[in-house]
Amino acid sequence: MRARLSRLALAALMATSPAFAQPGPAGGDAFVTLGTMGGPVPSRDRSQPANALTHDGRVYLVDAGDGTVQQLARAGILLPAVKAVFLSHLHVDHTGGLSAILGLRNQTNITEPLTVYGPPGTRELVAGMVASMQPAARVGYGIPGKPWTPPAQTVDVIELTDGESIKVDAMTVTAAQNSHYDFAPGSIEDRNYKSLSLRFDLPGRSIVYTGDTGPSAAVEKLAKGADLLVSEMIDMDGTLANVARNSPNMPAPAKQQLEQHLSTHHLTPDAVGRLAAGAGVKSLVVTHFAAGTPDPARTRSYVTQIRTHFRGPIAIANDLDRF
């Protein structure tokens, strides 16, 4: 897979550390930002949130928003190479592409089960997708007596919770509950619905993915000393303008609720810088642009605000960038 950096990402990188623009460490390890658009409003320029962590010839998806299969193809990654999927939380902009992944694996007779890791509710989510695959699996390619493999046999689910650490092949994966939800600790909602940040400790590299979160001491602790922090970011003014264009008749109460969600459940550029500095990470990649593709002036503004706190290399990611 060839390294690819957008002009905006490259400009940000050159302003900080040219070495960060290299195509990842030796051995093929890389974190590929397949989709960098923050949902739920779609964009013509960016795909929905999805990433591919590659190590030793194996591929692990980290979130799987709508368009993930196409983005894998654009990145030169074959579907059979995907060995597991990690979901940070169950909002559809982060899970909408999973159904296509499961269905197309079944249709192309990939029989090795795919393991989907995610927060509580992942089992229910996947069960619904498996149910939706049944009619196609039964009819197969229309050859009498030749249906596809029963879909339930092609996927396993492991639900993760706060503080859990598991071994997956050569890496250790650790989950931390973040602040994307406001449910009271210990409440029924808190037990049933969690948004997770994820740390991937590989043999020679550590990568932390925030998923969607607001400021969080737990995420800062999870990211301590990581080689790479992949952080979401919210541009409040740009996001609200984008939503207004998409939903011009949004009722005032709904708009107020949306503003509360965006301001407390996501990270501003200033908060991203504080997180990276507090965690002492070596480098930072910013993704999840709900406001759409930033122009050069906004990109410079983001980097300037982050730089107030964090002095390491910073990249403003585009789809198919590789770190």
Side-chain angles (χ1 to χ4, degrees):
M1 186 181 356
R2 295 183 60 189
R4 175 188 176 277
L5 286 171
S6 68
R7 288 191 298 271
L8 294 179
L10 184 59
L13 290 168
M14 291 178 64
T16 52
S17 173
F20 196 38
Q22 298 303 313
D29 291 3
F31 193 93
V32 185
T33 51
L34 297 173
T36 57
M37 179 65 187
V41 180
S43 166
R44 65 182 181 182
D45 302 318
R46 293 174 180 260
S47 194
Q48 295 283 298
N51 307 276
L53 173 58
T54 67
H55 172 68
D56 197 24
R58 302 172 74 88
V59 178
Y60 309 90
L61 294 179
V62 185
D63 279 339
D66 187 32
T68 298
V69 168
Q70 182 176 6
Q71 293 300 93
L72 284 170
R74 293 180 67 197
I77 298 174
L78 300 177
L79 196 55
V82 176
K83 302 305 179 183
V85 178
F86 295 88
L87 301 178
S88 63
H89 65 298
L90 304 185
H91 284 158
V92 71
D93 54 318
H94 291 251
T95 66
L98 181 58
S99 182
I101 292 165
L102 298 179
L104 291 173
R105 290 179 84 257
N106 192 225
Q107 185 174 351
T108 54
N109 199 33
I110 302 173
T111 57
E112 179 186 1
L114 181 72
T115 302
V116 179
Y117 300 86
T122 300
R123 191 168 288 109
E124 180 183 3
L125 175 79
V126 172
M129 294 178 179
V130 167
S132 75
M133 292 160 58
Q134 298 294 345
R138 286 193 295 267
V139 73
Y141 283 111
I143 301 172
K146 297 290 184 180
W148 300 333
T149 302
Q153 295 181 13
T154 64
V155 58
D156 295 322
V157 176
I158 296 177
E159 293 188 346
L160 304 174
T161 191
D162 181 35
E164 191 165 358
S165 185
I166 59 172
K167 286 287 292 184
V168 179
D169 296 328
M171 62 185 178
T172 299
V173 184
T174 306
Q177 184 172 353
N178 59 43
S179 57
H180 191 50
Y181 302 151
D182 279 340
F183 302 125
S187 66
I188 293 175
E189 293 87 355
D190 179 59
R191 290 196 299 270
N192 291 336
Y193 310 106
K194 295 183 182 296
S195 177
L196 302 175
S197 298
L198 299 165
R199 179 177 180 126
F200 302 89
D201 285 301
L202 293 90
R205 194 182 190 203
S206 53
I207 301 172
V208 173
Y209 174 68
T210 67
D212 285 7
T213 183
S216 168
V219 176
E220 182 176 320
K221 180 180 178 181
L222 181 74
K224 282 291 183 184
D227 294 302
L228 177 66
L229 173 64
V230 181
S231 178
E232 71 119 78
M233 191 193 70
I234 186 76
D235 177 334
M236 280 291 294
D237 291 341
T239 300
L240 289 173
N242 196 25
V243 171
R245 286 191 294 271
N246 191 69
S247 305
N249 299 316
M250 179 181 290
K255 182 179 179 181
Q256 184 179 15
Q257 186 179 45
L258 175 64
E259 290 180 358
Q260 188 272 334
H261 163 67
L262 294 177
S263 63
T264 62
H265 297 174
H266 292 280
L267 296 170
T268 64
D270 181 80
V272 170
R274 291 179 185 275
L275 170 61
V281 301
K282 294 181 177 63
S283 55
L284 170 67
V285 168
V286 181
T287 186
H288 199 270
F289 300 101
T293 298
D295 58 34
R298 279 198 294 159
T299 299
R300 289 192 295 271
S301 175
Y302 297 158
V303 172
T304 297
Q305 293 176 69
I306 295 168
R307 179 67 63 216
T308 301
H309 306 286
F310 178 65
R311 305 303 300 175
I314 302 167
I316 305 298
N318 263 2
D319 289 8
L320 305 182
D321 284 349
R322 176 185 172 110
F323 304 95

